[in-house]
Amino acid sequence: MVSRYVPSWLLIGTATWCVARAFDADVGWLAVAPAAVLSWVVGFLAIGVPGGVGVREAVFVASVGALPSGVAATVAITARLCFVLVDAGGAALGVLTWRRFGL
């Protein structure tokens, strides 16, 4: 059911907005979050591109109108790096848990 993904999309949009605020404190949530969600959806639909690499960033830059293109590209790349670090941290915790508890 698609509605179960709504909290994830809200959190992804909010996380990207937090990254955007690091570069432009005046940018609004409604200017960034929908563009972030759209970029993730298009990235998932780009089947021939692993992880939507480049596609997500290009869609974000094209769809976020509140930021200059250079700042938008910086936000897109920085947000991608943040998500990769969180994924890697989760994987590391999973491995540690598996080793400790033999799950």
Side-chain angles (χ1 to χ4, degrees), residues 13 17 23 28 30 45-46 49-50 53 82 85 88 99-100:
W17 172 70
F23 297 103
L30 285 175
L45 295 175
V49 183
V53 175
C82 288
L85 289 173
R99 285 184 181 170
R100 178 164 174 91

Side-chain angles (χ1 to χ4, degrees), residues 10 35 42 45 69 78 80 84 88 102:
L10 292 174
V42 173
L45 295 175
S69 61
T78 304
R80 165 79 73 165
V84 167

Side-chain angles (χ1 to χ4, degrees), residues 5-27:
Y5 291 103
V6 171
S8 296
W9 295 125
L10 292 174
L11 291 171
I12 286 169
T14 301
T16 306
W17 172 70
C18 289
V19 171
R21 288 201 32 123
F23 297 103
D24 183 354
D26 295 329
V27 68

Side-chain angles (χ1 to χ4, degrees), residues 1-87:
M1 183 176 256
V2 175
S3 63
R4 292 183 182 184
Y5 291 103
V6 171
S8 296
W9 295 125
L10 292 174
L11 291 171
I12 286 169
T14 301
T16 306
W17 172 70
C18 289
V19 171
R21 288 201 32 123
F23 297 103
D24 183 354
D26 295 329
V27 68
W29 188 87
L30 285 175
V32 174
V37 172
L38 175 65
S39 71
W40 275 70
V41 170
V42 173
F44 285 137
L45 295 175
I47 296 182
V49 183
V53 175
V55 173
R56 241 174 49 195
E57 292 76 14
V59 171
F60 180 80
V61 171
S63 62
V64 68
L67 296 171
S69 61
V71 175
T74 303
V75 169
I77 292 168
T78 304
R80 165 79 73 165
L81 290 173
C82 288
F83 285 115
V84 167
L85 289 173
V86 168
D87 286 345

